[in-house]
Amino acid sequence: MAVSAHKARVYRGASAKERVTSRRERLLEAALELYGTSGYVATGVKDICREAGLTDRYFYESFSDGGELFTAAFDRTTTELLLLVAKKVTEVPPEPEAQVRAAIETFVRALADDPRKARLIFVEAASAGAEVERHMRASLRQFAVLIAATARPHLPAGMSERVLKMGALSLVGAIERVIIEWQDGELDATIEQIIDFLVKLFLSAGASVGVPRR
């Protein structure tokens, strides 16, 4: 009986927990692919399972419905982007212009290289329901927090948290609209032009409240 129980726990070198984790990752990859191309409304559980190469029962071992899967895929994508941006910012000199360019270029190029991520983050959340959209807004606020934290060492001592927060949120909104319009083909610009524009926008906003460019 002990041997049988062990076989039940380990199959082809993977434990039951590892197999569940692997199937969950396949579902998250399928979510990024389908929600990021066909869209949330056009994608059902069976579509996700077909893309992942799994049967329906394996979907429900990790997620209760499409909304929960969407939220998990959204969280994974935004976390990867935020960690990537944070890492790049630490690799450049601690000067406003260098850090702003590192953050914006990393974020924009990541979304340009994989348009599925931009659609998942900025477009499809509204289709997944009010709760998911609220979750999306809360996650984007985290990017604003990262911007504010990067800017804070360069700000005048008297700068209020309210003004800093408003500025960071405004800049996140600017990135979101420019990227979506560009990916929709409504903005005739190269990726380099977009990055340069957003860097100048950030630096201009900073200069208006006393942040030196260098």
Side-chain angles (χ1 to χ4, degrees), residues 20-51:
V20 170
T21 299
S22 176
R23 289 191 290 266
R24 188 177 189 276
E25 287 299 308
R26 287 162 65 180
L27 290 166
L28 287 169
E29 285 296 328
L32 175 60
E33 174 62 27
L34 296 183
Y35 294 153
T37 54
S38 301
Y40 180 81
V41 173
T43 302
V45 168
K46 290 186 180 298
D47 299 313
I48 293 290
C49 293
R50 189 179 305 111
E51 178 71 21

Side-chain angles (χ1 to χ4, degrees), residues 23-24 26-27 44-66 69:
R23 289 191 290 266
R24 188 177 189 276
R26 287 162 65 180
L27 290 166
V45 168
K46 290 186 180 298
D47 299 313
I48 293 290
C49 293
R50 189 179 305 111
E51 178 71 21
L54 298 170
T55 59
D56 292 13
R57 75 185 182 92
Y58 289 126
F59 178 95
Y60 293 106
E61 76 179 354
S62 294
F63 305 102
S64 61
D65 55 29
L69 172 62

Side-chain angles (χ1 to χ4, degrees), residues 9-210:
R9 290 193 297 270
V10 179
Y11 178 71
R12 293 184 178 178
S15 68
K17 183 177 180 180
E18 289 170 337
R19 296 197 301 276
V20 170
T21 299
S22 176
R23 289 191 290 266
R24 188 177 189 276
E25 287 299 308
R26 287 162 65 180
L27 290 166
L28 287 169
E29 285 296 328
L32 175 60
E33 174 62 27
L34 296 183
Y35 294 153
T37 54
S38 301
Y40 180 81
V41 173
T43 302
V45 168
K46 290 186 180 298
D47 299 313
I48 293 290
C49 293
R50 189 179 305 111
E51 178 71 21
L54 298 170
T55 59
D56 292 13
R57 75 185 182 92
Y58 289 126
F59 178 95
Y60 293 106
E61 76 179 354
S62 294
F63 305 102
S64 61
D65 55 29
E68 186 176 345
L69 172 62
F70 183 94
T71 300
F74 178 94
D75 284 347
R76 187 176 74 157
T77 302
T78 54
T79 297
E80 289 173 353
L81 285 170
L82 289 172
L83 289 175
L84 182 61
V85 169
K87 178 176 181 295
K88 291 296 183 181
V89 167
T90 65
E91 294 174 354
V92 300
E95 301 169 352
E97 186 166 352
Q99 292 188 329
V100 165
R101 182 167 291 277
I104 290 177
E105 183 163 8
T106 300
F107 190 73
V108 171
R109 287 195 184 278
L111 295 177
D113 289 343
D114 192 346
R116 299 175 305 171
K117 294 179 180 180
R119 180 168 179 177
L120 182 76
I121 294 171
F122 295 133
V123 177
E124 293 301 321
S127 300
E131 184 175 345
V132 174
E133 188 174 15
R134 283 193 295 272
H135 184 82
M136 178 269 288
R137 291 200 301 271
S139 297
L140 292 182
R141 284 196 292 272
Q142 292 305 305
F143 185 51
V145 168
L146 175 59
I147 290 175
T150 301
R152 172 51 75 187
H154 310 292
L155 294 171
M159 170 67 63
S160 73
E161 289 299 319
R162 182 184 67 254
V163 171
L164 177 57
K165 184 176 182 179
M166 287 192 297
L169 288 170
S170 298
L171 294 171
V172 170
I175 290 179
E176 180 258 335
R177 289 320 311 161
V178 169
I179 290 296
I180 292 304
E181 292 298 310
W182 179 66
Q183 290 194 337
D184 283 348
E186 299 297 330
L187 182 60
D188 182 17
T190 66
I191 189 68
E192 289 77 17
Q193 289 170 331
I194 289 174
I195 291 169
D196 285 343
F197 171 80
L198 290 172
V199 168
K200 290 175 182 176
L201 180 66
F202 272 52
L203 293 174
S204 295
S208 71
V209 292

